[in-house]
Amino acid sequence: MKLNIGVIKGDGIGPEIVTEAMKVLDRVGRVYGHELNYTQLLMGGASIDVHGVPLTEETIELAKQSDAVLLGSIGGDAKTSPWYQLEPSKRPEAGLLKIRKALNLFANLRPAVLYDELKGACPLKEEITEGGFDMMIMRELTGGLYFGERSTEVRDGVLTATDTLTYNEDEIRRIAKRGFDIAMKRRRKVTSIDKANVLDSSRLWRKTVEEVAKDYPEVTLEHMLVDNCAMQLVKNPRQFDVILTENMFGDILSDEASMVTGSIGMLASASLNETKFGMYEPSGGSAPDIAGKGIANPIATILSAAMMLRFSFDLDTEADAVETAVEKVLKDGYRTIDIMSEGKTQIDTAEMGDKICAYISK
Ligand code: IPM
Ligand code: MG
């Protein structure tokens, strides 16, 4: 099969971790007989440096022509990087939000799994993690606060900033359907997160999710307030199967969920639209403090590449092979520094990529 992949290495640790994911994809190509064509695309700070803007129309066009996009991470140190001297709409993050919108990537899947081998890196008590956990966060990605109108202006002599949180029922319905569809392939439970005791947008969210649930009688639906969910994630993470939520709540809760799995360096993600096209990226940031040191954990990006094989190319066997290889390397005791624990062997970014490749064979 021919796989045309747009690659946005991005900023910070992005280039290092994407290089390892491409190494793994190349290995999959060799072992299973696929041809991989990469088109390098610029976005974020790397695009600002060349074009003065974080995302060009050309990048959007080339991304659309690809079957899928692999993305590292974007952004720099807000205190020291010149990118943050620019107005907010020209900063690296604006490029990421704009490409998600331009490609209509409304469904963001972030799986948080506690690997048996990584229990040592999990900050929770053993009695809580007993039996492990495996949840899928389904985050709405193109609506809500991050895309509402915003302004900063002087009102009655006082500097005042406003952000608006808007959702219509169509946007809620399409993400809810995705959440229930994926629950049908898992343990058939959806926990819908909102703040319906305060927000109108959450009350519409809850009502719409309940309507969608009627088409999925086999799925158990629970509603949970977002503040309670933040607590439940550390109190009893096993209760969750699919967490369905809006953009900002999903942004926050997915970072928390990743940490209870041991490290944000383990959390993959897929951003999908109505077609097979998707953008695949680790959920973590660009970590400028460790960029260039060769110590970043490439596993989240490698697992994102596995999601790409699964969702955009329907290559389930190949995706399974990558995921199994990751598990084997962890079982062998190899760790990057973020997931290091006593008695294990610490390796660097490139070695982790090599070890995972070595386990991919037919
Ligand atoms: C993420 C990131 C982005 C987001 C930022 C960089 C705009 O935090 O993918 O979770 O909030 O979506
Ligand atoms: Mg985030």
Side-chain angles (χ1 to χ4, degrees):
M1 184 174 182
K2 254 195 179 159
L3 320 186
N4 292 314
I5 301 170
V7 176
I8 303 173
K9 290 193 172 179
D11 311 318
I13 58 170
E16 299 159 57
I17 54 182
V18 169
T19 299
E20 298 316 306
M22 288 168 70
K23 205 190 254 179
V24 170
L25 285 171
D26 286 339
R27 173 80 188 162
V28 167
R30 272 198 305 280
V31 171
Y32 292 90
H34 302 300
E35 188 186 323
L36 289 108
N37 297 316
Y38 301 108
T39 309
Q40 300 289 339
L41 307 174
L42 285 181
M43 194 175 86
S47 172
I48 296 174
D49 289 345
V50 177
H51 301 294
V53 288
L55 181 68
T56 59
E57 287 306 316
E58 192 199 354
T59 292
I60 296 175
E61 250 341 284
L62 290 170
K64 279 185 182 164
Q65 286 165 23
S66 315
D67 300 323
V69 170
L70 179 66
L71 165 65
S73 52
I74 55 101
D77 184 339
K79 279 200 199 108
T80 56
S81 165
W83 302 328
Y84 296 89
Q85 303 297 320
L86 300 167
E87 61 171 276
S89 67
K90 298 229 164 70
R91 292 178 193 167
E93 287 74 6
L96 179 57
L97 295 179
K98 192 173 166 194
I99 200 169
R100 286 173 177 168
K101 193 75 167 179
L103 302 174
N104 195 26
L105 304 171
F106 65 89
N108 183 220
L109 282 74
R110 298 187 163 183
V113 181
L114 181 67
Y115 289 88
D116 234 23
E117 295 76 25
L118 283 189
K119 280 193 176 147
C122 172
L124 302 180
K125 282 189 202 147
E126 240 180 273
E127 64 238 45
I128 294 175
T129 55
E130 193 61 45
F133 52 81
D134 175 355
M135 62 187 110
M136 178 67 85
I137 298 180
M138 177 66 81
R139 168 187 176 194
E140 201 292 324
L141 203 61
T142 52
L145 261 182
Y146 296 6
F147 290 92
E149 285 198 10
R150 64 181 105 258
S151 65
T152 305
E153 62 195 1
V154 177
R155 274 193 214 158
D156 301 328
V158 185
L159 193 57
T160 307
T162 308
D163 295 285
T164 43
L165 169 43
T166 304
Y167 270 108
N168 68 43
E169 51 185 337
D170 296 342
E171 291 171 303
I172 301 169
R173 195 169 294 113
R174 67 180 180 176
I175 187 75
K177 277 189 186 155
R178 284 294 178 93
F180 281 93
D181 283 341
I182 201 119
M184 284 297 288
K185 295 187 184 155
R186 296 173 48 99
R187 299 193 308 281
R188 301 190 176 183
K189 181 176 172 190
V190 169
T191 309
S192 174
I193 309 299
D194 60 41
K195 188 70 186 172
N197 53 349
V198 178
L199 302 176
D200 262 25
S201 55
S202 280
R203 286 187 272 270
L204 181 61
W205 181 276
R206 198 173 275 218
K207 175 173 169 280
T208 311
V209 169
E210 270 172 8
E211 283 165 15
V212 171
K214 289 187 188 132
D215 294 332
Y216 298 84
E218 290 155 75
V219 177
T220 307
L221 169 66
E222 269 181 10
H223 299 283
M224 191 180 278
L225 296 173
V226 61
D227 44 354
N228 185 27
C229 181
M231 182 177 79
Q232 295 296 333
L233 274 172
V234 291
K235 194 176 168 211
N236 177 15
R238 281 190 72 184
Q239 68 185 289
F240 297 110
D241 178 17
V242 175
I243 290 182
L244 171 65
T245 190
E246 62 92 55
N247 202 344
M248 183 172 71
F249 297 160
D251 185 21
I252 298 168
L253 295 174
S254 60
D255 268 31
E256 187 186 358
S258 75
M259 200 55 229
V260 301
T261 70
S263 168
I264 196 156
M266 298 295 298
L267 196 66
S269 103
S271 305
L272 308 173
N273 60 21
E274 304 280 11
T275 71
K276 281 273 160 202
F277 179 88
M279 189 161 82
Y280 299 84
E281 55 177 303
S283 300
S286 59
D289 50 325
I290 59 161
K293 295 188 177 159
I295 59 170
N297 185 348
I299 293 181
T301 320
I302 291 168
L303 291 174
S304 302
M307 291 182 92
M308 172 191 287
L309 295 170
R310 198 182 297 287
F311 292 121
S312 284
F313 299 110
D314 288 320
L315 296 174
D316 286 315
T317 310
E318 287 81 342
D320 288 346
V322 174
E323 288 167 4
T324 309
V326 168
E327 277 170 40
K328 284 184 177 160
V329 170
L330 294 174
K331 204 162 262 162
D332 284 352
Y334 294 108
R335 305 279 189 271
T336 43
I337 190 166
D338 55 312
I339 48 173
M340 186 59 192
S341 58
E342 226 185 288
K344 306 297 177 195
T345 313
Q346 193 175 314
I347 57 175
D348 66 23
T349 311
E351 286 168 328
M352 184 56 93
D354 291 340
K355 296 265 177 225
I356 292 168
C357 284
Y359 269 122
I360 299 173
S361 56
K362 261 191 193 167

